[in-house]
Amino acid sequence: MKLHQSISLRNYNTFGIEIPGNIAEFYSEQDLLQFMEAQPDGPALILGGGSNILFRNVPQGWIWKNSIPGIQVVDRSDDFVLVEAGAGENWHSFVQYCIEQQWGGLENLSLIPGQVGASPMQNIGAYGVEIKDVFHSLRAVNLKSGVAREFSCEECAFGYRDSVFKNVFRNQYMITAVRFRLSRRNHVLHLDYGAIREELERVGNTEPDIRAVSEAVIRIRQSKLPDPKLLGNAGSFFKNPVVSKDLAESIKSRFPQLVSYGVDAQSVKLAAGWLIEQAGWKGYRQGDAGVHTKQALVLVNYGKASGDDIWQLSELIVRDVQEKFGVVLEREVNIC
Ligand code: EPU
């Protein structure tokens, strides 16, 4: 365990927000249990890679940071492997490790920032795959009782950027390890997300494998999404809103190019990035808070923006999109 008192949190959040805080970093479940005894009030905040968080206020008390390492095979058959990763493992390094072993299932989720432990929190997803598609189970410690338990896929109640850990069990558990069921052979690649096929065609790859898909995803992400090491951001700031078919139709009558995806008989998902761009915000900058020039769903910190600067910009966008399209955008990033 490492304790970092009154330090800058700038390197602990990919938005690069400068704010002070205290961090207790755990490397094992034992570390966690030990710290729980000393700090029975619980965490001010649970932190993983800090890639989906916006600090608006100085966190009071200790931030509990999960750095539990380790990757191990728990079970394997001819067709599948069950692999477990410690919650503190870097997500992309873990994905790369699986690709090197030729295990299929995570390739579309390449280059997502953050840690393994945070991946089930919001059921991370990209390019047609969500972790729930390959998730097996996870282990988490109850922060009141100190008792560890397993959660199955069903018990996590995954939804679009959602799980029980974001609502009913918010701040009640610390995820310590996650298990994935990956393919060892006959893996079905998910190439249905348009941009992947286009990218593979562009490089002339007609028989892609796991690695080729991962490399295509990396190139697509690099072309649209800013590298947090170079420009502070937390990926998509808003969720893609799900609206009624009637509302989508009425918007479409005014904007025939509206980007939408069917959800069920009554509802449709809209591309928030498209709405924000149409409302004129793409590339907008106010002080050091801005809207990314290549992906309007991503808010960026050009250097010295405070959490509140980013928040205020997001408020302007929410209000404007609501006025123009009658759609209320919901934030995807956790605001603290
Ligand atoms: N679009 C615009 N203008 C923009 C951005 C997007 O017109 O500024 C349009 C695109 O042309 C496209 C559609 O909106 O027709 C969708 O865009 P894109 O494929 O870039 O994906 P997204 O819906 O904006 C979601 C996820 C991303 C994920 C991508 C790819 C959410 C909130 N975001 O973005 O996830 O990488 O799909 O699967 O669901 C994240 O969660 O942090 C994240 C980056």
Side-chain angles (χ1 to χ4, degrees):
M1 176 161 45
K2 266 194 208 149
L3 299 180
H4 316 270
Q5 207 156 358
S6 296
I7 57 158
S8 163
L9 299 182
R10 195 184 177 98
N11 293 333
Y12 290 89
N13 73 102
T14 59
F15 250 125
I17 302 295
E18 182 67 64
I19 204 162
N22 305 310
I23 294 194
E25 200 167 352
F26 310 110
Y27 296 92
S28 66
E29 265 186 41
Q30 270 146 316
D31 272 2
L32 169 61
L33 295 177
Q34 210 182 324
F35 197 71
M36 278 173 64
E37 273 177 31
Q39 297 284 331
D41 290 345
L45 174 79
I46 299 173
L47 193 66
S51 57
N52 202 40
I53 197 167
L54 178 69
F55 285 118
R56 279 188 85 195
N57 301 299
V58 176
Q60 301 301 318
W62 285 93
I63 295 171
W64 296 14
K65 174 158 167 52
N66 196 327
S67 295
I68 299 175
I71 298 177
Q72 55 182 329
V73 171
V74 177
D75 197 7
R76 81 166 76 214
S77 68
D78 289 345
D79 293 332
F80 292 101
V81 61
L82 190 59
V83 57
E84 177 178 300
E89 288 289 332
N90 173 273
W91 175 262
H92 181 62
S93 309
F94 171 60
V95 171
Q96 291 300 99
Y97 175 84
C98 296
I99 289 166
E100 271 156 33
Q101 311 301 313
Q102 313 252 353
W103 300 334
L106 296 176
E107 57 280 0
N108 294 45
L109 303 175
S110 298
L111 210 63
I112 295 182
Q115 293 182 184
V116 168
S119 64
M121 294 281 300
Q122 53 153 356
N123 181 25
I124 58 170
Y127 306 103
V129 173
E130 294 180 327
I131 72 147
K132 76 166 170 42
D133 304 330
V134 282
F135 177 91
H136 177 271
S137 57
L138 63 79
R139 183 176 163 88
V141 174
N142 182 308
L143 293 177
K144 277 218 173 80
S145 65
V147 176
R149 62 162 279 200
E150 305 281 320
F151 283 81
S152 66
C153 192
E154 212 168 48
E155 286 167 325
C156 290
F158 291 123
Y160 167 59
R161 295 295 191 276
D162 198 32
S163 77
V164 281
F165 303 103
K166 261 191 118 170
N167 41 69
V168 283
F169 289 143
R170 194 178 186 91
N171 290 331
Q172 291 184 39
Y173 282 91
M174 187 180 262
I175 296 169
T176 56
V178 188
R179 289 176 175 177
F180 299 92
R181 186 174 181 270
L182 304 176
S183 315
R184 293 190 65 212
R185 63 178 187 196
N186 302 328
H187 177 56
V188 180
L189 294 170
H190 290 273
L191 306 175
D192 19 298
Y193 205 93
I196 294 188
R197 276 194 204 284
E198 279 166 30
E199 178 59 22
L200 290 167
E201 273 166 28
R202 193 185 67 80
V203 296
N205 192 334
T206 49
E207 283 181 36
D209 58 3
I210 297 166
R211 183 176 297 277
V213 172
S214 168
E215 286 170 358
V217 166
I218 290 172
R219 286 194 300 272
I220 299 166
R221 288 188 76 93
Q222 284 174 337
S223 72
K224 284 191 176 181
L225 298 168
D227 178 350
K229 287 194 198 93
L230 306 175
L231 184 61
N233 77 92
S236 300
F237 195 87
F238 301 100
K239 288 188 191 180
N240 284 331
V242 175
V243 302
S244 70
K245 268 199 167 152
D246 288 349
L247 177 55
E249 282 309 317
S250 92
I251 301 174
K252 212 164 204 160
S253 65
R254 288 185 293 138
F255 301 91
Q257 334 80 307
L258 177 75
V259 180
S260 63
Y261 319 91
V263 172
D264 55 34
Q266 293 85 36
S267 21
V268 171
K269 193 189 272 184
L270 305 181
W274 186 90
L275 295 172
I276 298 168
E277 179 174 350
Q278 290 302 309
W281 291 96
K282 196 169 183 173
Y284 178 84
R285 179 169 176 176
Q286 181 173 281
D288 269 357
V291 180
H292 188 46
T293 48
K294 295 182 191 151
Q295 217 317 353
L297 200 46
V298 179
L299 300 192
V300 296
N301 174 7
Y302 282 102
K304 290 206 162 67
S306 67
D308 209 52
D309 294 339
I310 305 278
W311 169 266
Q312 295 302 343
L313 173 59
S314 75
E315 277 288 284
L316 295 177
I317 295 171
V318 171
R319 262 185 254 143
D320 194 40
V321 166
Q322 185 170 11
E323 258 169 42
K324 292 203 165 100
F325 301 103
V327 175
V328 181
L329 293 180
E330 215 182 294
R331 290 170 182 84
E332 200 242 296
V333 165
N334 295 306
I335 313 289
C336 290

